[in-house]
PDB file of all heavy atoms in Angstrom:
ATOM      1  N   CYS F  56       2.763  -7.720   4.707  1.00 89.00           N
ATOM      2  CA  CYS F  56       2.836  -6.255   4.810  1.00 89.00           C
ATOM      3  C   CYS F  56       4.224  -5.832   5.261  1.00 89.00           C
ATOM      4  O   CYS F  56       5.121  -6.631   5.473  1.00 89.00           O
ATOM      5  CB  CYS F  56       1.794  -5.764   5.804  1.00 89.00           C
ATOM      6  SG  CYS F  56       2.155  -6.143   7.528  1.00 89.00           S
ATOM      7  N   ASN F  72      -3.565 -12.756   8.298  1.00 89.00           N
ATOM      8  CA  ASN F  72      -3.490 -12.287   6.932  1.00 89.00           C
ATOM      9  C   ASN F  72      -2.117 -12.556   6.284  1.00 89.00           C
ATOM     10  O   ASN F  72      -2.012 -12.691   5.056  1.00 89.00           O
ATOM     11  CB  ASN F  72      -3.905 -10.862   6.794  1.00 89.00           C
ATOM     12  CG  ASN F  72      -5.449 -10.789   6.798  1.00 89.00           C
ATOM     13  OD1 ASN F  72      -6.122 -11.786   6.729  1.00 89.00           O
ATOM     14  ND2 ASN F  72      -6.004  -9.565   6.980  1.00 89.00           N
ATOM     15  N   CYS F 186       0.054   5.144  -3.103  1.00 98.00           N
ATOM     16  CA  CYS F 186       0.013   4.688  -1.726  1.00 98.00           C
ATOM     17  C   CYS F 186       0.567   5.745  -0.785  1.00 98.00           C
ATOM     18  O   CYS F 186      -0.157   6.689  -0.423  1.00 98.00           O
ATOM     19  CB  CYS F 186       0.795   3.398  -1.714  1.00 98.00           C
ATOM     20  SG  CYS F 186       0.807   2.479  -0.203  1.00 98.00           S
ATOM     21  N   GLY F 220      -6.325   7.095  10.172  1.00 98.00           N
ATOM     22  CA  GLY F 220      -6.657   6.533   8.828  1.00 98.00           C
ATOM     23  C   GLY F 220      -5.918   5.247   8.504  1.00 98.00           C
ATOM     24  O   GLY F 220      -5.380   5.124   7.413  1.00 98.00           O
ATOM     25  N   GLN F 221      -5.974   4.327   9.418  1.00 98.00           N
ATOM     26  CA  GLN F 221      -5.281   3.063   9.204  1.00 98.00           C
ATOM     27  C   GLN F 221      -6.113   1.953   9.869  1.00 98.00           C
ATOM     28  O   GLN F 221      -6.700   2.183  10.893  1.00 98.00           O
ATOM     29  CB  GLN F 221      -3.929   3.149   9.861  1.00 98.00           C
ATOM     30  CG  GLN F 221      -2.867   2.201   9.360  1.00 98.00           C
ATOM     31  CD  GLN F 221      -1.921   1.816  10.482  1.00 98.00           C
ATOM     32  OE1 GLN F 221      -1.634   2.576  11.373  1.00 98.00           O
ATOM     33  NE2 GLN F 221      -1.439   0.567  10.406  1.00 98.00           N
ATOM     34  N   ASN F 222      -6.134   0.766   9.246  1.00 98.00           N
ATOM     35  CA  ASN F 222      -6.900  -0.339   9.765  1.00 98.00           C
ATOM     36  C   ASN F 222      -6.002  -1.568  10.010  1.00 98.00           C
ATOM     37  O   ASN F 222      -5.992  -2.526   9.265  1.00 98.00           O
ATOM     38  CB  ASN F 222      -8.019  -0.691   8.753  1.00 98.00           C
ATOM     39  CG  ASN F 222      -8.872  -1.824   9.239  1.00 98.00           C
ATOM     40  OD1 ASN F 222      -8.986  -2.116  10.438  1.00 98.00           O
ATOM     41  ND2 ASN F 222      -9.552  -2.509   8.286  1.00 98.00           N
ATOM     42  N   THR F 225      -6.794  -5.559   9.903  1.00 96.00           N
ATOM     43  CA  THR F 225      -6.848  -6.230   8.624  1.00 96.00           C
ATOM     44  C   THR F 225      -5.519  -6.146   7.886  1.00 96.00           C
ATOM     45  O   THR F 225      -5.020  -7.110   7.355  1.00 96.00           O
ATOM     46  CB  THR F 225      -7.999  -5.695   7.776  1.00 96.00           C
ATOM     47  OG1 THR F 225      -9.207  -6.185   8.349  1.00 96.00           O
ATOM     48  CG2 THR F 225      -7.884  -6.106   6.324  1.00 96.00           C
ATOM     49  N   ASN F 226      -4.945  -4.928   7.893  1.00 96.00           N
ATOM     50  CA  ASN F 226      -3.852  -4.660   6.986  1.00 96.00           C
ATOM     51  C   ASN F 226      -2.441  -4.795   7.568  1.00 96.00           C
ATOM     52  O   ASN F 226      -1.492  -4.988   6.831  1.00 96.00           O
ATOM     53  CB  ASN F 226      -4.014  -3.318   6.285  1.00 96.00           C
ATOM     54  CG  ASN F 226      -5.308  -3.257   5.506  1.00 96.00           C
ATOM     55  OD1 ASN F 226      -5.606  -4.214   4.760  1.00 96.00           O
ATOM     56  ND2 ASN F 226      -6.080  -2.220   5.646  1.00 96.00           N
ATOM     57  N   HIS F 227      -2.386  -4.711   8.881  1.00 96.00           N
ATOM     58  CA  HIS F 227      -1.076  -4.870   9.553  1.00 96.00           C
ATOM     59  C   HIS F 227      -1.330  -5.547  10.889  1.00 96.00           C
ATOM     60  O   HIS F 227      -1.030  -5.012  11.944  1.00 96.00           O
ATOM     61  CB  HIS F 227      -0.355  -3.554   9.821  1.00 96.00           C
ATOM     62  CG  HIS F 227      -0.196  -2.699   8.559  1.00 96.00           C
ATOM     63  ND1 HIS F 227      -1.113  -1.797   8.107  1.00 96.00           N
ATOM     64  CD2 HIS F 227       0.817  -2.727   7.648  1.00 96.00           C
ATOM     65  CE1 HIS F 227      -0.682  -1.238   6.988  1.00 96.00           C
ATOM     66  NE2 HIS F 227       0.499  -1.773   6.667  1.00 96.00           N
ATOM     67  N   CYS F 247      -8.331   7.668  15.020  1.00 98.00           N
ATOM     68  CA  CYS F 247      -9.051   8.691  14.308  1.00 98.00           C
ATOM     69  C   CYS F 247      -9.461   8.044  12.980  1.00 98.00           C
ATOM     70  O   CYS F 247      -8.601   7.806  12.138  1.00 98.00           O
ATOM     71  CB  CYS F 247      -8.196   9.925  14.059  1.00 98.00           C
ATOM     72  SG  CYS F 247      -9.084  11.285  13.249  1.00 98.00           S
ATOM     73  N   ASN F 248     -10.747   7.728  12.805  1.00 98.00           N
ATOM     74  CA  ASN F 248     -11.201   6.963  11.702  1.00 98.00           C
ATOM     75  C   ASN F 248     -12.697   7.083  11.593  1.00 98.00           C
ATOM     76  O   ASN F 248     -13.369   6.914  12.577  1.00 98.00           O
ATOM     77  CB  ASN F 248     -10.782   5.489  11.878  1.00 98.00           C
ATOM     78  CG  ASN F 248     -10.829   4.685  10.603  1.00 98.00           C
ATOM     79  OD1 ASN F 248     -11.799   4.745   9.899  1.00 98.00           O
ATOM     80  ND2 ASN F 248      -9.779   3.931  10.307  1.00 98.00           N
ATOM     81  N   PRO F 249     -13.239   7.397  10.392  1.00 98.00           N
ATOM     82  CA  PRO F 249     -14.696   7.476  10.271  1.00 98.00           C
ATOM     83  C   PRO F 249     -15.391   6.191  10.654  1.00 98.00           C
ATOM     84  O   PRO F 249     -16.533   6.210  11.152  1.00 98.00           O
ATOM     85  CB  PRO F 249     -14.903   7.762   8.774  1.00 98.00           C
ATOM     86  CG  PRO F 249     -13.605   8.303   8.275  1.00 98.00           C
ATOM     87  CD  PRO F 249     -12.551   7.699   9.124  1.00 98.00           C
ATOM     88  N   LEU F 250     -14.724   5.055  10.474  1.00 98.00           N
ATOM     89  CA  LEU F 250     -15.280   3.748  10.877  1.00 98.00           C
ATOM     90  C   LEU F 250     -14.729   3.305  12.201  1.00 98.00           C
ATOM     91  O   LEU F 250     -13.536   3.469  12.441  1.00 98.00           O
ATOM     92  CB  LEU F 250     -14.990   2.671   9.818  1.00 98.00           C
ATOM     93  CG  LEU F 250     -15.456   2.891   8.404  1.00 98.00           C
ATOM     94  CD1 LEU F 250     -15.114   1.696   7.533  1.00 98.00           C
ATOM     95  CD2 LEU F 250     -16.973   3.118   8.378  1.00 98.00           C
ATOM     96  N   GLU F 252     -13.136   0.643  13.563  1.00 97.00           N
ATOM     97  CA  GLU F 252     -12.511  -0.608  13.125  1.00 97.00           C
ATOM     98  C   GLU F 252     -12.225  -1.444  14.328  1.00 97.00           C
ATOM     99  O   GLU F 252     -11.574  -0.976  15.338  1.00 97.00           O
ATOM    100  CB  GLU F 252     -11.225  -0.334  12.369  1.00 97.00           C
ATOM    101  CG  GLU F 252     -11.352   0.610  11.155  1.00 97.00           C
ATOM    102  CD  GLU F 252     -12.035  -0.053   9.945  1.00 97.00           C
ATOM    103  OE1 GLU F 252     -12.776  -1.028  10.133  1.00 97.00           O
ATOM    104  OE2 GLU F 252     -11.802   0.465   8.840  1.00 97.00           O
ATOM    105  N   PRO F 282     -14.178  11.274  12.660  1.00 98.00           N
ATOM    106  CA  PRO F 282     -14.379  12.470  11.868  1.00 98.00           C
ATOM    107  C   PRO F 282     -15.056  12.096  10.579  1.00 98.00           C
ATOM    108  O   PRO F 282     -15.176  10.917  10.253  1.00 98.00           O
ATOM    109  CB  PRO F 282     -12.917  12.927  11.548  1.00 98.00           C
ATOM    110  CG  PRO F 282     -12.194  11.616  11.489  1.00 98.00           C
ATOM    111  CD  PRO F 282     -12.798  10.726  12.469  1.00 98.00           C
ATOM    112  N   ILE F 284     -15.036  11.919   6.487  1.00 97.00           N
ATOM    113  CA  ILE F 284     -13.946  11.602   5.542  1.00 97.00           C
ATOM    114  C   ILE F 284     -13.264  12.923   5.143  1.00 97.00           C
ATOM    115  O   ILE F 284     -13.949  13.912   4.812  1.00 97.00           O
ATOM    116  CB  ILE F 284     -14.533  10.902   4.326  1.00 97.00           C
ATOM    117  CG1 ILE F 284     -15.111   9.528   4.709  1.00 97.00           C
ATOM    118  CG2 ILE F 284     -13.479  10.757   3.215  1.00 97.00           C
ATOM    119  CD1 ILE F 284     -15.907   8.844   3.587  1.00 97.00           C
ATOM    120  N   GLY F 285     -11.964  12.939   5.154  1.00 96.00           N
ATOM    121  CA  GLY F 285     -11.194  14.126   4.813  1.00 96.00           C
ATOM    122  C   GLY F 285     -11.154  15.178   5.923  1.00 96.00           C
ATOM    123  O   GLY F 285     -10.630  16.286   5.701  1.00 96.00           O
ATOM    124  N   ASP F 287      -9.418  15.127   8.637  1.00 98.00           N
ATOM    125  CA  ASP F 287      -8.214  15.007   9.505  1.00 98.00           C
ATOM    126  C   ASP F 287      -7.355  16.272   9.526  1.00 98.00           C
ATOM    127  O   ASP F 287      -6.722  16.526  10.562  1.00 98.00           O
ATOM    128  CB  ASP F 287      -7.358  13.822   8.967  1.00 98.00           C
ATOM    129  CG  ASP F 287      -8.169  12.568   8.948  1.00 98.00           C
ATOM    130  OD1 ASP F 287      -8.262  11.880   9.933  1.00 98.00           O
ATOM    131  OD2 ASP F 287      -8.796  12.304   7.858  1.00 98.00           O
ATOM    132  N   GLY F 360      -2.095   5.785   7.684  1.00 98.00           N
ATOM    133  CA  GLY F 360      -2.184   4.908   6.506  1.00 98.00           C
ATOM    134  C   GLY F 360      -2.947   5.592   5.403  1.00 98.00           C
ATOM    135  O   GLY F 360      -2.972   6.816   5.267  1.00 98.00           O
ATOM    136  N   MET F 361      -3.646   4.748   4.623  1.00 98.00           N
ATOM    137  CA  MET F 361      -4.263   5.224   3.372  1.00 98.00           C
ATOM    138  C   MET F 361      -5.433   6.199   3.620  1.00 98.00           C
ATOM    139  O   MET F 361      -5.813   6.952   2.740  1.00 98.00           O
ATOM    140  CB  MET F 361      -4.719   4.049   2.530  1.00 98.00           C
ATOM    141  CG  MET F 361      -3.642   3.134   2.036  1.00 98.00           C
ATOM    142  SD  MET F 361      -2.452   3.964   0.984  1.00 98.00           S
ATOM    143  CE  MET F 361      -1.093   4.216   2.137  1.00 98.00           C
ATOM    144  N   GLY F 362      -5.987   6.164   4.822  1.00 98.00           N
ATOM    145  CA  GLY F 362      -7.098   7.094   5.128  1.00 98.00           C
ATOM    146  C   GLY F 362      -6.592   8.536   5.142  1.00 98.00           C
ATOM    147  O   GLY F 362      -7.385   9.481   5.096  1.00 98.00           O
ATOM    148  N   ILE F 363      -5.289   8.716   5.245  1.00 98.00           N
ATOM    149  CA  ILE F 363      -4.700  10.043   5.231  1.00 98.00           C
ATOM    150  C   ILE F 363      -4.078  10.370   3.841  1.00 98.00           C
ATOM    151  O   ILE F 363      -4.193  11.515   3.373  1.00 98.00           O
ATOM    152  CB  ILE F 363      -3.579  10.165   6.310  1.00 98.00           C
ATOM    153  CG1 ILE F 363      -4.213  10.010   7.712  1.00 98.00           C
ATOM    154  CG2 ILE F 363      -2.801  11.441   6.206  1.00 98.00           C
ATOM    155  CD1 ILE F 363      -5.303  11.052   8.042  1.00 98.00           C
ATOM    156  N   HIS F 366      -6.133  11.402  -0.499  1.00 97.00           N
ATOM    157  CA  HIS F 366      -7.050  12.535  -0.607  1.00 97.00           C
ATOM    158  C   HIS F 366      -6.374  13.639  -1.380  1.00 97.00           C
ATOM    159  O   HIS F 366      -5.121  13.660  -1.486  1.00 97.00           O
ATOM    160  CB  HIS F 366      -7.352  13.099   0.797  1.00 97.00           C
ATOM    161  CG  HIS F 366      -8.157  12.164   1.676  1.00 97.00           C
ATOM    162  ND1 HIS F 366      -9.486  11.967   1.548  1.00 97.00           N
ATOM    163  CD2 HIS F 366      -7.734  11.390   2.734  1.00 97.00           C
ATOM    164  CE1 HIS F 366      -9.908  11.108   2.469  1.00 97.00           C
ATOM    165  NE2 HIS F 366      -8.846  10.748   3.186  1.00 97.00           N
ATOM    166  N   GLY F 398       2.709  -0.240   3.023  1.00 96.00           N
ATOM    167  CA  GLY F 398       1.861  -1.384   2.608  1.00 96.00           C
ATOM    168  C   GLY F 398       2.632  -2.582   2.230  1.00 96.00           C
ATOM    169  O   GLY F 398       2.922  -3.460   3.044  1.00 96.00           O
ATOM    170  N   HIS F 399       3.075  -2.651   0.967  1.00 96.00           N
ATOM    171  CA  HIS F 399       3.777  -3.807   0.446  1.00 96.00           C
ATOM    172  C   HIS F 399       5.054  -4.049   1.220  1.00 96.00           C
ATOM    173  O   HIS F 399       5.734  -3.098   1.659  1.00 96.00           O
ATOM    174  CB  HIS F 399       4.151  -3.593  -1.029  1.00 96.00           C
ATOM    175  CG  HIS F 399       3.109  -4.048  -1.966  1.00 96.00           C
ATOM    176  ND1 HIS F 399       2.770  -5.384  -2.101  1.00 96.00           N
ATOM    177  CD2 HIS F 399       2.352  -3.420  -2.885  1.00 96.00           C
ATOM    178  CE1 HIS F 399       1.830  -5.536  -3.052  1.00 96.00           C
ATOM    179  NE2 HIS F 399       1.555  -4.331  -3.538  1.00 96.00           N
ATOM    180  N   MET F 652     -15.379   6.504   0.484  1.00 98.00           N
ATOM    181  CA  MET F 652     -13.965   6.052   0.600  1.00 98.00           C
ATOM    182  C   MET F 652     -13.909   4.613   0.160  1.00 98.00           C
ATOM    183  O   MET F 652     -14.843   3.826   0.428  1.00 98.00           O
ATOM    184  CB  MET F 652     -13.474   6.218   2.040  1.00 98.00           C
ATOM    185  CG  MET F 652     -14.300   5.536   3.130  1.00 98.00           C
ATOM    186  SD  MET F 652     -13.554   5.893   4.741  1.00 98.00           S
ATOM    187  CE  MET F 652     -14.786   5.155   5.805  1.00 98.00           C
ATOM    188  N   THR F 653     -12.820   4.210  -0.466  1.00 98.00           N
ATOM    189  CA  THR F 653     -12.656   2.827  -0.943  1.00 98.00           C
ATOM    190  C   THR F 653     -11.634   2.163  -0.031  1.00 98.00           C
ATOM    191  O   THR F 653     -10.519   2.642   0.121  1.00 98.00           O
ATOM    192  CB  THR F 653     -12.159   2.778  -2.373  1.00 98.00           C
ATOM    193  OG1 THR F 653     -10.883   3.407  -2.466  1.00 98.00           O
ATOM    194  CG2 THR F 653     -13.092   3.493  -3.295  1.00 98.00           C
ATOM    195  N   VAL F 654     -12.057   1.094   0.652  1.00 98.00           N
ATOM    196  CA  VAL F 654     -11.199   0.474   1.676  1.00 98.00           C
ATOM    197  C   VAL F 654     -11.010  -1.023   1.353  1.00 98.00           C
ATOM    198  O   VAL F 654     -11.655  -1.582   0.471  1.00 98.00           O
ATOM    199  CB  VAL F 654     -11.805   0.601   3.078  1.00 98.00           C
ATOM    200  CG1 VAL F 654     -11.920   2.065   3.478  1.00 98.00           C
ATOM    201  CG2 VAL F 654     -13.155  -0.082   3.191  1.00 98.00           C
ATOM    202  N   ARG F 655     -10.091  -1.623   2.092  1.00 98.00           N
ATOM    203  CA  ARG F 655      -9.800  -3.043   1.948  1.00 98.00           C
ATOM    204  C   ARG F 655     -10.728  -3.881   2.833  1.00 98.00           C
ATOM    205  O   ARG F 655     -10.935  -3.511   3.978  1.00 98.00           O
ATOM    206  CB  ARG F 655      -8.386  -3.344   2.297  1.00 98.00           C
ATOM    207  CG  ARG F 655      -7.400  -2.784   1.311  1.00 98.00           C
ATOM    208  CD  ARG F 655      -6.027  -2.563   1.946  1.00 98.00           C
ATOM    209  NE  ARG F 655      -5.069  -2.207   0.908  1.00 98.00           N
ATOM    210  CZ  ARG F 655      -4.985  -1.017   0.347  1.00 98.00           C
ATOM    211  NH1 ARG F 655      -5.753  -0.008   0.736  1.00 98.00           N
ATOM    212  NH2 ARG F 655      -4.079  -0.760  -0.613  1.00 98.00           N
ATOM    213  N   GLN F 659      -8.717  -9.786   1.496  1.00 97.00           N
ATOM    214  CA  GLN F 659      -8.109  -9.404   0.207  1.00 97.00           C
ATOM    215  C   GLN F 659      -6.700  -8.921   0.479  1.00 97.00           C
ATOM    216  O   GLN F 659      -6.388  -8.481   1.593  1.00 97.00           O
ATOM    217  CB  GLN F 659      -8.936  -8.323  -0.517  1.00 97.00           C
ATOM    218  CG  GLN F 659      -8.722  -6.909   0.069  1.00 97.00           C
ATOM    219  CD  GLN F 659      -9.634  -5.880  -0.596  1.00 97.00           C
ATOM    220  OE1 GLN F 659     -10.817  -5.771  -0.295  1.00 97.00           O
ATOM    221  NE2 GLN F 659      -9.052  -5.119  -1.564  1.00 97.00           N
ATOM    222  N   TYR F 660      -5.879  -9.003  -0.535  1.00 96.00           N
ATOM    223  CA  TYR F 660      -4.591  -8.291  -0.532  1.00 96.00           C
ATOM    224  C   TYR F 660      -4.582  -7.404  -1.749  1.00 96.00           C
ATOM    225  O   TYR F 660      -4.353  -7.850  -2.859  1.00 96.00           O
ATOM    226  CB  TYR F 660      -3.386  -9.248  -0.488  1.00 96.00           C
ATOM    227  CG  TYR F 660      -2.175  -8.454  -0.187  1.00 96.00           C
ATOM    228  CD1 TYR F 660      -1.730  -8.261   1.151  1.00 96.00           C
ATOM    229  CD2 TYR F 660      -1.472  -7.732  -1.179  1.00 96.00           C
ATOM    230  CE1 TYR F 660      -0.655  -7.488   1.435  1.00 96.00           C
ATOM    231  CE2 TYR F 660      -0.434  -6.925  -0.868  1.00 96.00           C
ATOM    232  CZ  TYR F 660      -0.005  -6.789   0.438  1.00 96.00           C
ATOM    233  OH  TYR F 660       1.063  -5.969   0.751  1.00 96.00           O
ATOM    234  N   ASN F 661      -4.901  -6.144  -1.554  1.00 97.00           N
ATOM    235  CA  ASN F 661      -5.066  -5.228  -2.644  1.00 97.00           C
ATOM    236  C   ASN F 661      -6.011  -5.851  -3.721  1.00 97.00           C
ATOM    237  O   ASN F 661      -7.140  -6.147  -3.414  1.00 97.00           O
ATOM    238  CB  ASN F 661      -3.715  -4.818  -3.282  1.00 97.00           C
ATOM    239  CG  ASN F 661      -2.853  -4.109  -2.252  1.00 97.00           C
ATOM    240  OD1 ASN F 661      -3.372  -3.541  -1.306  1.00 97.00           O
ATOM    241  ND2 ASN F 661      -1.553  -4.068  -2.417  1.00 97.00           N
ATOM    242  N   ARG F 672     -16.144  -6.435   9.928  1.00 98.00           N
ATOM    243  CA  ARG F 672     -17.256  -5.482   9.629  1.00 98.00           C
ATOM    244  C   ARG F 672     -18.559  -6.264   9.390  1.00 98.00           C
ATOM    245  O   ARG F 672     -19.556  -5.638   8.989  1.00 98.00           O
ATOM    246  CB  ARG F 672     -16.906  -4.607   8.374  1.00 98.00           C
ATOM    247  CG  ARG F 672     -15.649  -3.784   8.558  1.00 98.00           C
ATOM    248  CD  ARG F 672     -15.552  -2.683   7.512  1.00 98.00           C
ATOM    249  NE  ARG F 672     -14.280  -1.988   7.540  1.00 98.00           N
ATOM    250  CZ  ARG F 672     -13.306  -2.153   6.644  1.00 98.00           C
ATOM    251  NH1 ARG F 672     -13.452  -3.013   5.611  1.00 98.00           N
ATOM    252  NH2 ARG F 672     -12.186  -1.474   6.729  1.00 98.00           N
ATOM    253  N   LYS F 753      -9.888   7.854  -1.442  1.00 98.00           N
ATOM    254  CA  LYS F 753     -10.658   7.916  -0.223  1.00 98.00           C
ATOM    255  C   LYS F 753     -11.571   9.117  -0.194  1.00 98.00           C
ATOM    256  O   LYS F 753     -12.227   9.375   0.834  1.00 98.00           O
ATOM    257  CB  LYS F 753      -9.733   7.984   1.003  1.00 98.00           C
ATOM    258  CG  LYS F 753      -8.856   6.749   1.188  1.00 98.00           C
ATOM    259  CD  LYS F 753      -9.524   5.572   1.748  1.00 98.00           C
ATOM    260  CE  LYS F 753      -8.543   4.463   2.182  1.00 98.00           C
ATOM    261  NZ  LYS F 753      -8.125   3.589   1.055  1.00 98.00           N
TER     262      LYS F 753
HETATM  263  N1  MGD R  11      -4.364  -8.188   4.528  1.00 87.01           N
HETATM  264  C1  MGD R  11      -3.942  -7.143   3.819  1.00 87.01           C
HETATM  265  N2  MGD R  11      -2.865  -6.463   4.226  1.00 87.01           N
HETATM  266  C2  MGD R  11      -2.449  -5.398   3.552  1.00 87.01           C
HETATM  267  C3  MGD R  11      -3.111  -4.976   2.356  1.00 87.01           C
HETATM  268  C4  MGD R  11      -4.266  -5.689   1.973  1.00 87.01           C
HETATM  269  O1  MGD R  11      -4.945  -5.302   0.997  1.00 87.01           O
HETATM  270  N3  MGD R  11      -4.624  -6.749   2.736  1.00 87.01           N
HETATM  271  N4  MGD R  11      -2.596  -3.902   1.606  1.00 87.01           N
HETATM  272  C5  MGD R  11      -1.264  -3.463   1.902  1.00 87.01           C
HETATM  273  C6  MGD R  11      -1.026  -2.081   1.362  1.00 87.01           C
HETATM  274  S1  MGD R  11      -0.326  -1.934  -0.177  1.00 87.01           S
HETATM  275  C7  MGD R  11      -1.266  -1.018   2.114  1.00 87.01           C
HETATM  276  S2  MGD R  11      -0.907   0.528   1.516  1.00 87.01           S
HETATM  277  C8  MGD R  11      -1.737  -1.087   3.468  1.00 87.01           C
HETATM  278  C9  MGD R  11      -3.076  -0.337   3.642  1.00 87.01           C
HETATM  279  O2  MGD R  11      -3.501  -0.340   4.942  1.00 87.01           O
HETATM  280  P1  MGD R  11      -4.542   0.796   5.429  1.00 87.01           P
HETATM  281  O3  MGD R  11      -3.913   2.085   5.355  1.00 87.01           O
HETATM  282  O4  MGD R  11      -5.113   0.339   6.719  1.00 87.01           O
HETATM  283  O5  MGD R  11      -5.620   0.693   4.223  1.00 87.01           O
HETATM  284  P2  MGD R  11      -7.231   0.821   3.894  1.00 87.01           P
HETATM  285  O6  MGD R  11      -7.974  -0.424   4.084  1.00 87.01           O
HETATM  286  O7  MGD R  11      -7.239   1.365   2.517  1.00 87.01           O
HETATM  287  O8  MGD R  11      -7.865   1.791   4.882  1.00 87.01           O
HETATM  288  C10 MGD R  11      -7.449   2.689   5.681  1.00 87.01           C
HETATM  289  C11 MGD R  11      -8.389   3.110   6.808  1.00 87.01           C
HETATM  290  O9  MGD R  11      -8.565   4.513   6.585  1.00 87.01           O
HETATM  291  C12 MGD R  11      -9.857   4.855   6.969  1.00 87.01           C
HETATM  292  N5  MGD R  11     -10.199   6.124   6.299  1.00 87.01           N
HETATM  293  C13 MGD R  11     -10.663   6.324   5.049  1.00 87.01           C
HETATM  294  N6  MGD R  11     -10.786   7.637   4.790  1.00 87.01           N
HETATM  295  C14 MGD R  11     -10.443   8.305   5.903  1.00 87.01           C
HETATM  296  C15 MGD R  11     -10.276   9.657   6.279  1.00 87.01           C
HETATM  297  O10 MGD R  11     -10.628  10.570   5.496  1.00 87.01           O
HETATM  298  N7  MGD R  11      -9.797   9.939   7.506  1.00 87.01           N
HETATM  299  C16 MGD R  11      -9.433   8.954   8.406  1.00 87.01           C
HETATM  300  N8  MGD R  11      -8.944   9.336   9.549  1.00 87.01           N
HETATM  301  N9  MGD R  11      -9.551   7.653   8.081  1.00 87.01           N
HETATM  302  C17 MGD R  11      -9.984   7.347   6.839  1.00 87.01           C
HETATM  303  C18 MGD R  11     -10.744   3.679   6.596  1.00 87.01           C
HETATM  304  O11 MGD R  11     -11.898   3.627   7.351  1.00 87.01           O
HETATM  305  C19 MGD R  11      -9.788   2.515   6.901  1.00 87.01           C
HETATM  306  O12 MGD R  11      -9.934   2.056   8.203  1.00 87.01           O
HETATM  307  O13 MGD R  11      -1.966  -2.430   3.895  1.00 87.01           O
HETATM  308  C20 MGD R  11      -1.028  -3.413   3.413  1.00 87.01           C
HETATM  309  N10 MGD R  11      -1.383  -4.667   4.031  1.00 87.01           N
END
Side-chain angles (χ1 to χ4, degrees):
C56 72
N72 281 348
C186 186
Q221 201 211 330
N222 181 22
T225 286
N226 298 316
H227 304 91
C247 184
N248 196 313
L250 301 182
E252 305 285 24
I284 295 170
D287 306 271
M361 296 301 102
I363 295 302
H366 295 283
H399 270 297
M652 56 182 175
T653 61
V654 298
R655 289 157 172 78
Q659 78 183 79
Y660 192 90
N661 299 336
R672 300 195 188 106
K753 298 282 192 276

